Amino acid sequence: DFESLEVAEWAEQLLLAGGAKIKPKIPKGMQDYRPEQMVIREKAFGIITNVFKRHGAVTLETPVMELKSTLTGKYGEDSKLIYDLADQGGEILALRYDLTVPFARYLATTGDNANIKRYHIARVYRRDQPVLSKGRYREFYQCDFDIAGQYGLMIADADVLKVMSEILTELPIGQFEIKLNHRKLLDAILEICRVPPEKFRAICSAIDKLDKEDWNDVRAEMVNDKGLSPDSADALKYWVWRNDKAFAGEPMEMLELLRNSDLSQHKEAAATLKDLSVLFGYLQALECLHFIKLDMSLARGLDYYTGVIYEAVLVQGEKPVGSIAAGGRYDKLVGMFSSKDIPAVGVSIGIERVFTIMEARANQQMMRKNETEVYVASVMGLTAERFKLCNELWKAGFKAEMSYADKPTTEKQMKEALLNGIPFMVVIGESELASGEVTFKDMTTGETNNTRVARAQLIEMLTPLVEQFRASG
Amino acid sequence: DFESLEVAEWAEQLLLAGGAKIKPKIPKGMQDYRPEQMVIREKAFGIITNVFKRHGAVTLETPVMELKSTLTGKYGEDSKLIYDLADQGGEILALRYDLTVPFARYLATTGDNANIKRYHIARVYRRDQPVLSKGRYREFYQCDFDIAGQYGLMIADADVLKVMSEILTELPIGQFEIKLNHRKLLDAILEICRVPPEKFRAICSAIDKLDKEDWNDVRAEMVNDKGLSPDSADALKYWVWRNDKAFAGEPMEMLELLRNSDLSQHKEAAATLKDLSVLFGYLQALECLHFIKLDMSLARGLDYYTGVIYEAVLVQGEKPVGSIAAGGRYDKLVGMFSSKDIPAVGVSIGIERVFTIMEARANQQMMRKNETEVYVASVMGLTAERFKLCNELWKAGFKAEMSYADKPTTEKQMKEALLNGIPFMVVIGESELASGEVTFKDMTTGETNNTRVARAQLIEMLTPLVEQFRASG
């Protein structure tokens, strides 16, 4: 089985460590990001960061580890997935499991700075069973955007959903929809169906599976595994499962249906329906309401949500990749660290899945791993002279490189420039040096073209060409 | 004492964890980077990344942790500073101590991709005694640039030193110099002075202290602590300490002195002097030789260096901050993981010290924490209308934000815009909505100026103003 296999591997490592060479390995469920993958990652981060900044967000960074006590009691059953540091004397530490709890801890530590709209792009750690083909790793990036502070009703929530919509629109990943629900609506429904309060969370986590499982399976889990009365389970069906699928639909129509239901008799639920109608009004003003589906079966696993919750899923594309972003309002989390509550709402983009999609698309096209604009070549070595020419180009702000070989052949230099998709080449030989010129090749045209250019005019000649190349990239 | 104090703190944490509130704390020697610090960090990373890219480097990323066996035997005495992960079943893991060993492991794992010029900006982990005032943390950033592969003599080494010079010139941190030496010169000197080979490393690490300590202290360490014969120690003095300071100077002059010394009789040393003269020739072509001092007392602690070694230090400025970048050639490190050696040379920028200097300078001026260009305000609430206007600005690519309050006062909105240094403000009220206009305020002029602008012309009017603002920033 899996665990004893790992022990065997570990024993092998120990044995190997006694010898001279250790076969190099990477930790299970983790990955090196190769240069061609980094290009895609940087592109995705660029798009995302741009949206965050467009909405006026600041950024901050917290340590990769926290006191173990900071993480305790925040993740329910999933706490077993936390990576602990060894006790080497001193503090008891663990690696962060997400970016939300460290953000709440940050708010509680800094205190005064309570009103903040921040983004944080960083890796988090979970000792989960990895499924690399689905982009599920033990170390993975999250892109979080959160708004903390006392504000007007649903205003920050609307801005978070707008940010989420813009990011998912601008990333080249295909169509998506955002399922949305409200914890207080769910609680009201559970109450109306006489679910005992101590079973609320367990039943919610069963309901949350309706996006993948059939009603009968979920009902069986509720009744057989979680001890819910069959009457309560059958009553629940009406609220979460209709026409053989999760009860969900266009927000305004759903609101109308719910307003005409028993929920309108439930004080909290009626108030929540009003709040949702304020939210939907704002989303209409922000032109992103059409991405939203009010989905009564969305429950979200995490303990700390207190208001609106949401999850973005891709609805078409080459393969279904499931949830791609999720979040909600958590008004009580900061209060777990501090004497005063700071309400907050946010979203986390599951960027590894985005990478997987973008990588699959990029494989079909040639990809530049660096940004070099000019390749400096020579006919017979001339290393110091090539360095001089590179230095002139660097000083002018061009990205330039040359072969590190002492006497690279013309063929090898040409190949290096072509393989890296470098658009321009400048060649020197004894004759060029003697006449104070260089030979210039435009590699973008596909034709053989060699022009002699006076060295003193080189920068001036290159500037518009490189600028045009930059603009096209 | 220090260790038992930590245990007491930990016991207190455990007790507190039993109660409702845990006083939030951050791990010892680590830090949250606040938004205003992140602005400086991003600026520094931008400058550094730009230089790396200008030289045609690609980037890659490795996991924050490695198999413990990968790190074992690479750091000498400092191995005790490695952070171990707890044994939770499965692999034995540790946090990376630097970025060089993971890079070597990467090269050995990927194999074929042996010729690579890569940069890597990431945090590393050392259980060292933190000195926060000096920028010494347990979690800190390194910016590494390395060139791996079989190349012409000293060509890659010259490019690394050029990259280092450009970065330290472009970062606003004052004047610096780069101390440079060669492991093979040092070894020759130790041999000439009859230092027993098994003491080479210990004696090197004593010599390396001559930048902070006097010759007599270092001699005492060699003789009393490390058991070197007094004759050997006194012979060493001639090579590393002259005129009451470390024996160092202008590279070409130093080479001339060394060529006329006993070193020219030592085969390896004589060859190394020739290699260094090739390197200095390239650095002259690259216009960065004037930053270099050939310093015979520079030895560097790490085991893995095999050729040229160097260390950049700030030579003036508000306070001396010591070493700010260091590196060298390590031709045998990859071979520790793989059956074939891949030669490599690189540099690591100690960016935390750079941050400390840049932060001290930034404190004197007003700093924008976000990049907002337009603040959207209203006279009497009008939240949905403010959202609509924001959305128009976002669609046009402007960075815009608004208050999240339902009915923010004019004073509060004005204050928010001013505090964040937002250059432009657009205000709507009932009268503006009725006439299809907005009120525009240019906050950069310091004068009271309100202009009414037709809503349909707003984007067109703002575009040149915002572009001008971006260009000036």
Side-chain angles (χ1 to χ4, degrees), chain A residues 10 92 117 159 401 404, chain B residues 10 92 117 159 287 401 404:
Chain A
W10 170 66
I92 302 300
K117 171 167 57 181
D159 204 10
E401 61 179 324
Y404 289 140
Chain B
W10 169 65
I92 303 299
K117 170 167 59 182
D159 205 10
E287 295 182 301
E401 62 180 323
Y404 288 140

Side-chain angles (χ1 to χ4, degrees), chain A residues 155 282, chain B residues 374-390 401-417 425-433 437-441 455:
Chain A
I155 301 180
Y282 291 152
Chain B
V374 187
Y375 189 87
V376 168
S378 70
V379 178
M380 281 290 291
L382 299 171
T383 304
E385 290 298 335
R386 283 185 289 144
F387 265 142
K388 270 188 200 165
L389 189 47
C390 278
E401 62 180 323
M402 60 180 232
S403 164
Y404 288 140
D406 263 321
K407 290 188 176 165
T409 61
T410 307
E411 196 192 348
K412 210 186 141 192
Q413 293 175 96
M414 193 59 106
K415 202 175 141 195
E416 213 168 282
M425 195 175 203
V426 179
V427 191
I428 46 171
E430 292 299 347
S431 98
E432 281 89 348
L433 288 178
E437 293 176 311
V438 298
T439 296
F440 171 77
K441 280 177 198 283
R455 178 92 168 239

Side-chain angles (χ1 to χ4, degrees), chain B residues 324-391:
Chain B
I324 205 147
R329 175 164 282 284
Y330 48 98
D331 287 347
K332 303 288 171 194
L333 185 58
V334 182
M336 292 175 80
F337 298 109
S338 154
S339 51
K340 69 169 176 201
D341 274 332
I342 300 177
V345 59
V347 65
S348 179
I349 316 283
I351 191 73
E352 298 292 340
R353 284 178 170 174
V354 171
F355 294 152
T356 308
I357 300 169
M358 287 176 71
E359 275 172 21
R361 295 185 174 201
N363 272 339
Q364 282 125 44
Q365 60 195 52
M366 193 261 183
M367 181 138 53
R368 272 162 63 82
K369 286 181 277 186
N370 64 13
E371 300 177 9
T372 306
E373 293 152 347
V374 187
Y375 189 87
V376 168
S378 70
V379 178
M380 281 290 291
L382 299 171
T383 304
E385 290 298 335
R386 283 185 289 144
F387 265 142
K388 270 188 200 165
L389 189 47
C390 278
N391 191 38

Side-chain angles (χ1 to χ4, degrees), chain B residues 58-346:
Chain B
V58 302
T59 188
L60 57 82
E61 192 158 26
T62 62
V64 79
M65 57 187 102
E66 295 281 348
L67 297 184
K68 175 78 178 178
S69 55
T70 297
L71 305 188
T72 303
K74 309 298 183 302
Y75 302 110
E77 284 182 9
D78 285 344
S79 293
K80 65 178 187 296
L81 303 181
I82 292 173
Y83 273 98
D84 293 329
L85 271 289
D87 181 358
Q88 294 172 284
E91 302 159 321
I92 303 299
L93 303 168
L95 297 187
R96 62 184 167 211
Y97 179 88
D98 64 10
L99 302 176
T100 312
V101 169
F103 177 55
R105 192 269 309 144
Y106 173 89
L107 290 175
T109 0
T110 56
D112 46 6
N113 222 351
N115 278 15
I116 187 170
K117 170 167 59 182
R118 83 88 180 77
Y119 69 91
H120 188 185
I121 298 180
R123 294 195 287 191
V124 301
Y125 299 86
R126 299 186 187 173
R127 294 181 64 255
D128 212 343
Q129 192 55 21
V131 187
L132 308 193
S133 60
K134 290 190 180 168
R136 174 134 63 93
Y137 291 91
R138 289 183 160 190
E139 172 181 57
F140 57 96
Y141 270 102
Q142 287 193 333
C143 301
D144 279 30
F145 174 78
D146 293 82
I147 301 171
Q150 289 283 359
Y151 301 116
L153 177 68
M154 290 292 179
I155 301 180
D157 312 61
D159 205 10
V160 170
L161 284 158
K162 175 66 176 169
V163 161
M164 194 173 167
S165 307
E166 285 186 9
I167 287 172
L168 297 177
T169 305
E170 292 180 27
L171 286 172
I173 51 170
Q175 278 193 287
F176 66 93
E177 68 179 30
I178 300 173
K179 299 193 273 184
L180 182 144
N181 201 356
H182 197 294
R183 271 279 161 100
K184 286 183 181 160
L185 271 195
L186 270 176
D187 286 353
I189 288 168
L190 295 174
E191 224 178 284
I192 288 170
C193 299
R194 297 177 197 280
V195 176
E198 71 276 11
K199 290 197 199 294
F200 270 25
R201 274 189 211 161
I203 298 306
C204 272
S205 101
I207 291 175
D208 204 44
K209 294 178 184 159
L210 285 172
D211 57 342
K212 294 189 199 83
E213 294 178 13
D214 191 71
W215 169 254
N216 292 326
D217 301 327
V218 169
R219 184 186 185 281
E221 179 180 332
M222 291 178 180
V223 175
N224 304 338
D225 303 353
K226 299 191 164 159
L228 187 67
S229 77
D231 282 356
S232 279
D234 293 332
L236 273 175
K237 185 179 178 187
Y238 172 77
W239 295 104
V240 297
W241 187 262
R242 296 187 190 181
N243 302 322
D244 267 337
K245 55 176 195 263
F247 180 36
E250 195 276 318
M252 296 302 196
E253 286 168 20
M254 286 291 290
L255 269 194
E256 188 59 27
L257 279 174
L258 296 172
R259 261 192 234 107
N260 296 323
S261 76
D262 286 355
L263 281 178
S264 61
Q265 309 306 313
H266 188 285
K267 204 180 140 199
E268 278 271 311
T272 303
L273 290 176
K274 274 191 191 150
D275 293 355
L276 283 176
S277 114
V278 170
L279 174 65
F280 296 153
Y282 290 152
L283 296 181
Q284 212 150 33
L286 289 167
E287 295 182 301
C288 62
L289 186 63
H290 59 287
F291 294 124
I292 310 284
K293 260 194 179 170
L294 183 50
D295 186 330
M296 303 306 293
S297 78
L298 180 76
R300 305 275 305 131
L302 288 172
D303 296 350
Y304 49 62
Y305 290 118
T306 55
V308 68
I309 48 178
Y310 31 79
E311 186 174 323
V313 289
L314 292 186
V315 288
Q316 60 179 40
E318 287 116 49
K319 345 175 188 175
V321 290
S323 166
I324 205 147
R329 175 164 282 284
Y330 48 98
D331 287 347
K332 303 288 171 194
L333 185 58
V334 182
M336 292 175 80
F337 298 109
S338 154
S339 51
K340 69 169 176 201
D341 274 332
I342 300 177
V345 59

